[in-house]
């Protein structure tokens, strides 16, 4: 009978996968596109909003610049896509920007890129889910009034889906992703067809609003505003790097499939971004940063809707089924866009853990062959951001894209060094031509993304980008500290090159005693079986009557080993034992002291609260004493007979039990057993129980 926790886990996550089924999780291109490209595809749902609302600061006339801003974003996107096609061919192992920077620029550059990507992945989840809530709230008022709760619920749901395994999550996301692309392109084509072929005059719901500029923007201020608008629109590029990190998840040929997916991603994203901005200009759509202050004249009770919702209402008509379909798939793809981060963050975390920059637990796959720890950590930090910024896209977007452009720029510089290194040894003319062409693409990409990074830092630093930069710095220092810790431990654990390990001169055994019962007898018998040089039993005198009773019982049973009583006037147990152990070892630095601690083994969780507390404290403290070995001598209480050992085995191994466990006879009460003569094992070797004072 499975436990409720195990049953719930299997219900949510499914049955565990064997390690040899890892090939089951590899993705074909048709599934890899929604898995790894949903972030970049969905960003066209909020990148146009950010372009228009930033331009609105200068008034409605500034919308004239929106097509040119979109064109600049398109140029950067196509450049980044072309650059990363070179990356996936050169580095198909899945390290992406981290591997490129580490191999070509050094480990510290690699760690810097990794810290930027980790921060950006967290922000991807927070921004995408928050934007999805905003789009859904445009047509469902309940969502708008409970956006934080719904955003957090969406992250929890995404976490559960991804914990089921990469192939399953990809299949679940393929239909809504392709549905979004079809509905969005269908809306754009329908709108353009009505304008240019049918001659309809389409006007967005916000076309007749009268808005005012927040500030008078001319000269340098206008240039700064355009740069800030461009940096906000560059959010459309986020997610491109995820494919280079996820190359191992593709089916063979991995590099070619990843490069093809990148090309599809760039083509679809560019088409939708240009189409939305173009149709927005044709319909005179207006979208402002602060409706309460900027809208001077408008309908009674006007509520600003997102750009895609306004376009859908203009093309399909207010209240039409297609409008709700558009709003639904847009919200859904924005929720699912976070899946790009859920697939990229754990893989990158696993690589960093393998390189000892993150805890090793990040390298471990869960029951469903997914990197469960990385998925869980990503979800937790994303929820913190969503709650902290109240799921406000405009606030979160200011922290966004800093990390991704750091990784873009450093990666392209690394690729330039990669091609230079190979060109020094390559002699085949055709291969050299390909390398020179690839180097030219990466050089142009490095220059362009570097310029965008400078623009982003200048225009967004005081608006919130400093938070992302500070987070990158903290993660960078933390990862270097983790690496130093692992390196230091590795040095300490490395055996010497020459000579054998020095054997201890003598082994002094100490058995801790509270009462002379079967647990104590088992511990003494086991200690004697190890044949130490000296063997003594030790008890701490915290109660005169109990100690006298113990001594009398010890003499009555004619125990073969001496009993040492340590006085403790302040009724302390741990410190007197530590002092006694230290004094025993001080006689010779090469001596070893082995402390035998009897412990109860209980079958019910609440019984642990009633037993073994002193033993746990002593063990925890003795582990820090050099030259001291701690041995736990267990005694199974009768309650352990009802313990479901098959379920315990399955829980500990994280796999189903392989077969029925041999029956364990029930424990029966046994009479006290007299100690065996010195040098011989007695029946207490099989009937034992022990604990320090409970």
């Amino acid at each position: 009978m499975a436990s409720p926790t195990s049953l719930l886990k299997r219900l949510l996550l499914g049955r565990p996968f064997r390690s040899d089924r890892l090939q089951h999780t590899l993705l074909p291109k048709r599934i890899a596109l929604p898995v790894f490209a949903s972030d970049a595809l969905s960003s066209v749902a909020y990148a146009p909003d950010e372009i228009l609302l930033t331009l609105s600061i200068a008034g409605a006339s500034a919308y004239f610049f929106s097509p040119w801003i979109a064109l600049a974003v398109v140029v950067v996107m196509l450049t980044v896509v072309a650059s990363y096609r070179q990356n996936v061919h050169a580095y198909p192992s899945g390290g992406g920007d981290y591997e490129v920077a580490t191999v070509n620029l050094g480990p510290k550059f690699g760690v810097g890129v990794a810290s930027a990507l980790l921060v950006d992945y967290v922000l991807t989840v927070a921004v995408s889910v928050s934007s999805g809530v905003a789009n859904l709230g445009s047509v469902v008022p309940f969502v708008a009034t409970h956006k934080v709760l719904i955003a957090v619920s969406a992250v929890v749901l995404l976490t559960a889906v991804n914990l089921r395994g990469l192939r399953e999550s990809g299949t679940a996301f393929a239909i809504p992703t392709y549905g979004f692309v079809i509905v969005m392109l269908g809306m754009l084509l329908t709108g353009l067809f009505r304008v240019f072929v049918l001659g309809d005059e389409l006007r967005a719901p916000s076309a007749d609003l009268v808005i005012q500029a927040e500030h008078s923007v001319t000269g340098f201020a206008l240039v700064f505003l355009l740069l800030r608008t461009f940096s906000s629109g560059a959010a459309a590029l986020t997610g491109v790097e995820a494919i280079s990190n996820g190359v191992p998840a593709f089916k063979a040929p991995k590099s070619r499939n990843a490069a093809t997916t990148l090309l599809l991603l760039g083509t679809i994203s560019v088409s939708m971004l240009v189409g939305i901005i173009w149709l927005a200009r044709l319909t005179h759509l207006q979208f402002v940063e602060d409706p309460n202050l900027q809208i001077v004249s408008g309908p009674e009770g006007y509520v600003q809707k997102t750009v895609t919702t306004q376009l859908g209402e203009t093309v399909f008509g207010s209240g039409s089924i297609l409008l709700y379909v558009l709003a639904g798939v847009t919200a859904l793809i924005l929720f699912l866009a976070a899946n790009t981060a859920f697939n990229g963050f754990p893989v990158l975390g696993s690589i960093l853990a393998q390189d000892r920059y993150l805890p090793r637990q990040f390298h471990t796959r869960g029951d469903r062959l997914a990197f469960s720890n990385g998925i869980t950590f990503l979800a937790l930090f994303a929820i913190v951001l969503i709650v902290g910024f109240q799921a406000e896209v405009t606030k979160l977007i200011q922290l966004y894209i800093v990390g991704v452009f750091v990784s873009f720029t450093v990666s392209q510089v690394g690729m330039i060094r990669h091609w230079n290194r190979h060109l020094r040894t390559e002699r085949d003319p055709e291969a050299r031509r390909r390398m020179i062409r690839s180097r030219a693409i990466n050089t142009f990409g490095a220059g362009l993304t570097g310029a965008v990074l400078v623009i982003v830092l200048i225009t967004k630093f005081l608006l919130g980008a400093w938070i992302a930069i500070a987070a990158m710095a903290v993660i960078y220092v933390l990862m270097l500290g983790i690496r130093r810790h692992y390196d230091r431990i590795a040095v300490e654990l490395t055996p010497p090159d020459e000579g054998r390990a020095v054997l201890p001169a003598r082994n002094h055994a100490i058995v801790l005693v509270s009462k002379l019962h079967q647990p104590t007898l088992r511990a003494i018998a086991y200690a004697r079986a190890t044949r130490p040089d000296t063997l003594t039993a030790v008890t701490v005198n915290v109660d005169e009557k109990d100690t006298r009773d113990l001594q009398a019982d010890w003499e009555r049973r004619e125990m073969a080993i001496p009993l040492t009583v340590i006085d403790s006037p302040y009724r302390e147990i741990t410190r007197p034992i530590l002092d006694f152990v230290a004094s025993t070892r001080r006689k010779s630095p090469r001596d070893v002291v082995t402390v035998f601690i009897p412990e109860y083994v209980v079958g019910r969780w609440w019984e642990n609260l009633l037993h073994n507390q002193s033993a746990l404290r002593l063990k925890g403290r003795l582990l820090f004493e050099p030259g001291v070995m701690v041995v736990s001598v267990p005694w199974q209480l009768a309650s352990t007979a009802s313990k479901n050992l098959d379920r315990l085995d399955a829980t500990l191994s994280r796999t189903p039990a392989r077969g029925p466990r041999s029956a364990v006879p029930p424990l029966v009460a046994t009479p006290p057993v007299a100690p065996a003569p010195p040098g011989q094992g007695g029946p207490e070797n099989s009937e034992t129980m022990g604990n320090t004072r409970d």
Side-chain angles (χ1 to χ4, degrees), residues 271-284:
S271 300
M272 290 194 295
L273 178 63
V274 171
I276 290 175
I277 294 295
W278 190 12
L279 191 58
R281 290 295 298 137
L282 292 173
T283 59
H284 307 284

Side-chain angles (χ1 to χ4, degrees), residues 512 574 577-578 595-600 612-625 628-634 691-692:
L512 302 184
T574 304
I577 292 176
L578 292 174
V595 181
F596 294 85
I597 304 178
E599 289 189 69
Y600 296 132
N612 294 326
Q613 303 309 310
S614 298
L616 290 174
R617 289 195 297 270
L618 276 170
K619 281 197 301 182
R621 184 59 184 83
L622 286 168
L623 290 175
F624 290 93
E625 296 294 327
V628 176
M629 311 302 165
V630 183
V631 178
S632 295
V633 183
N691 186 28
T692 57

Side-chain angles (χ1 to χ4, degrees), residues 543-607:
D543 185 279
E544 290 288 345
K545 183 179 181 303
D546 289 344
T547 302
R548 285 196 300 268
D549 291 344
L550 175 61
Q551 288 175 312
D553 200 14
W554 201 270
E555 293 175 0
R556 181 176 61 81
R557 290 177 176 273
E558 298 180 351
M559 300 299 294
I561 65 173
L563 175 65
T564 300
V565 179
I566 306 175
D567 284 327
S568 180
Y570 296 101
R571 300 161 304 284
E572 188 179 3
I573 295 177
T574 304
R575 174 50 56 187
I577 292 176
L578 292 174
D579 293 340
F580 181 83
V581 170
S583 66
T584 302
R585 187 173 182 273
R586 268 198 296 268
K587 296 174 182 177
S588 173
R590 286 185 56 191
D591 287 0
V592 170
V593 178
T594 304
V595 181
F596 294 85
I597 304 178
E599 289 189 69
Y600 296 132
V601 179
V602 297
R604 304 178 183 90
W605 66 268
W606 55 266
E607 291 179 310

Side-chain angles (χ1 to χ4, degrees), residues 613-655:
Q613 303 309 310
S614 298
L616 290 174
R617 289 195 297 270
L618 276 170
K619 281 197 301 182
R621 184 59 184 83
L622 286 168
L623 290 175
F624 290 93
E625 296 294 327
V628 176
M629 311 302 165
V630 183
V631 178
S632 295
V633 183
W635 173 267
Q636 291 78 22
L637 292 173
S639 61
T640 60
S642 61
K643 190 74 172 178
N644 188 329
L645 298 180
D646 287 333
R647 188 171 67 198
L648 180 61
D649 290 344
T651 301
L652 294 177
S653 62
R654 295 296 181 92
T655 58

